Amino acid sequence: MIHQKQRITILGSTGSIGVSTLDVIARHPDRFEVFSLSAATQVDLMLAQCAQFKPQYAIMVSEPHARLLAEKIKANGLLVHVLCAQDALEMIASHELVDVVMAAIVGAAGLAPCMAAARSGKRLLLANKEALVVGGDVFMQAVRKGDAQLLPIDSEHSAIYQSLPEDPSSWPARVEKIILTASGGPFRTRDPASLRHVTPDEACAHPNWVMGRKISVDSATMMNKALEVIEAKYLFGLAPERIEVVIHPQSIIHSMVQYYDTSVVAQMGTADMRVPIAYGLSWPERITSGAKTLDFKNLAHMTFEVPDNVRFPGLPLAWDVLKAPVGSAAVLNAANEIAVAAFLDKRIRFDHIHQINHETLAAVSVAEVHDIEGLLALDAEARRVAGQLAEGLEA
């Protein structure tokens, strides 16, 4: 079969998802080419990516980093346009020459370029769960209006997508519930009373996955799973009470779908993000990802546990905000981003993350919001409140 090369924009190319995406692309030069890349501060890694993949555009978030990259691009004789600005991200996400956008920017900062890609009808590979958590129905409306193709890249949501019937209109009538698996992170068996003393390095030491520091902390608190519950509600259109979480420490089953006849369909694989990335890039086909195959002869025992809400008090907040006015999820996400950043900077304790999230939700008044401007205003207010709360705490 002859394939026309798909032109790819990667938002967040120097992060773990971006690096894994480029690894998959490099394995299939006959199918994909890189149109543009974006990053925050890692100039040298971006330079190396530009030298290897030769994109038309490279975007850096800050002006100083963009200037430095431009100097190095010129010194190395590379023909790459270096830009800096938020609207540059939206430009490379919606450019008429782009077929696929990998959205791997961490946090709510990825919402605007994701919206631009959706409105432009791109195949949008969504690794930035916060864009959907914050954008909610507004984001999904943009996907439908732009006739975009939205494919989840989070391993759990990709697993659900692969386990569902092909016709989305049949999901409510056939699916009883979806079950998101969670590893439990590094503190699954640790005494909850001792968690106040953990360090950022301990929180980032995930037992199964190689991830960035922010999402690693979210895994340690299980706030990543709370955000994934919210994301799942919008992705799959099921009521919150039909979404469950189960701890599966081995990270072999990535998530499951239970049908009304009690059958359960699960997706299994190694703990390697290149698997869902390759699936998203090649859908509806399958291509090699570079990941190791499961060795069933030496497979560890698979176990499952009910999440402990004393150890992981942030998890129930997902269902709380889904029952609250639209926009509450944006408040929770913003508070969590501020709290995690403060913890990583050693300004607050690990257990303060949940305290800030809970108190910010209580403090920020949320009316029904039905546009991006209103959601971003809520996001800004929640960040202000969470920042003040963090300043009043001590590590």
Side-chain angles (χ1 to χ4, degrees):
M1 183 181 295
I2 298 176
H3 298 273
Q4 179 181 356
K5 283 190 179 183
Q6 297 286 293
R7 292 173 291 257
I8 316 293
T9 280
I10 303 177
L11 304 171
S13 67
T14 59
S16 60
I17 296 294
V19 169
S20 293
T21 302
L22 288 171
D23 181 87
V24 175
I25 289 172
R27 296 171 187 275
H28 301 277
D30 58 322
R31 296 186 61 128
F32 308 112
E33 63 181 83
V34 176
F35 178 79
S36 53
L37 302 171
S38 82
T41 61
Q42 296 192 60
V43 172
D44 288 338
L45 180 52
M46 173 64 91
L47 177 64
Q49 291 176 347
C50 288
Q52 180 178 358
F53 294 96
K54 299 177 175 56
Q56 292 193 32
Y57 294 96
I59 314 297
M60 300 301 292
V61 170
S62 75
E63 185 65 39
H65 291 100
R67 284 199 302 271
L68 181 58
L69 177 64
E71 292 170 1
K72 294 191 174 190
I73 289 284
K74 183 178 180 180
N76 283 270
L78 299 175
L79 299 176
V80 179
H81 299 289
V82 179
L83 301 175
C84 170
Q86 178 66 27
D87 58 1
L89 292 177
E90 296 175 37
M91 182 274 288
I92 63 172
S94 60
H95 199 286
E96 62 180 1
L97 295 180
V98 170
D99 303 299
V100 181
V101 175
M102 168 59 77
I105 296 175
V106 175
L111 177 58
C114 283
M115 288 287 292
R119 292 185 181 116
S120 301
K122 306 302 182 187
R123 173 179 289 195
L124 179 57
L125 309 184
L126 191 66
N128 172 266
K129 65 173 65 68
E130 295 89 350
L132 188 49
V133 169
V134 175
D137 283 328
V138 175
F139 181 82
M140 294 305 296
Q141 288 168 11
V143 170
R144 290 189 290 270
K145 188 173 181 179
D147 197 25
Q149 184 181 49
L150 181 63
L151 294 174
I153 298 301
D154 271 350
S155 61
E156 297 83 359
H157 299 93
S158 177
I160 295 296
Y161 192 87
Q162 294 178 59
S163 302
L164 284 166
E166 289 188 9
D167 180 10
S169 66
S170 72
W171 295 350
R174 298 173 66 183
V175 174
E176 183 173 6
K177 62 182 176 182
I178 59 178
I179 305 165
L180 299 172
T181 58
S183 70
F187 307 135
R188 179 178 62 86
T189 60
R190 185 157 170 167
D191 179 3
S194 72
L195 293 179
R196 61 182 290 154
H197 302 299
V198 305
T199 67
D201 286 343
E202 288 177 311
C204 291
H206 196 282
N208 299 338
W209 296 92
V210 177
M211 304 183 293
R213 287 174 70 79
K214 193 269 182 183
I215 192 172
S216 294
V217 174
D218 282 347
S219 180
T221 62
M222 278 192 70
M223 270 305 300
N224 71 319
K225 210 55 52 177
L227 297 177
E228 286 171 12
V229 168
I230 298 167
E231 184 182 10
K233 185 265 184 186
Y234 291 110
L235 279 172
F236 306 119
L238 297 178
E241 57 270 19
R242 294 167 69 180
I243 304 170
E244 292 185 6
V245 172
V246 63
I247 291 181
H248 171 48
Q250 296 80 20
S251 296
I252 296 168
I253 293 177
H254 297 303
S255 278
M256 299 169 274
V257 175
Q258 180 172 311
Y259 290 83
Y260 278 114
D261 63 359
T262 73
S263 297
V264 177
V265 177
Q267 187 265 339
M268 304 171 65
T270 51
D272 191 323
M273 285 305 299
R274 289 177 297 178
V275 176
I277 289 168
Y279 178 78
L281 285 170
S282 63
W283 185 92
E285 300 175 36
R286 300 273 183 170
I287 58 174
T288 57
S289 65
K292 294 181 180 179
T293 58
L294 283 178
D295 183 356
F296 286 93
K297 298 187 298 297
N298 298 307
L299 200 61
H301 293 294
M302 292 193 291
T303 60
F304 303 90
E305 306 166 9
V306 176
D308 180 353
N309 289 341
V310 175
R311 184 176 285 104
F312 305 116
L315 181 58
L317 293 179
W319 290 272
D320 291 344
V321 300
L322 287 174
K323 296 174 184 176
V326 173
S328 298
V331 172
L332 175 60
N333 178 75
N336 186 63
E337 287 189 24
I338 295 297
V340 171
F343 169 69
L344 288 172
D345 289 341
K346 300 182 179 179
R347 293 184 283 115
I348 64 171
R349 298 195 312 259
F350 182 79
D351 59 317
H352 286 152
I353 296 174
H354 172 66
Q355 180 180 336
I356 290 173
N357 291 343
H358 181 76
E359 292 183 4
T360 303
L361 280 170
V364 176
S365 177
V366 179
E368 292 290 340
V369 181
H370 301 289
D371 55 46
I372 289 297
E373 291 73 22
L375 290 169
L376 292 178
L378 271 178
D379 175 87
E381 174 63 9
R383 289 173 189 275
R384 183 189 67 79
V385 171
Q388 289 181 341
L389 290 169
E391 289 176 3
L393 298 171
E394 295 182 2

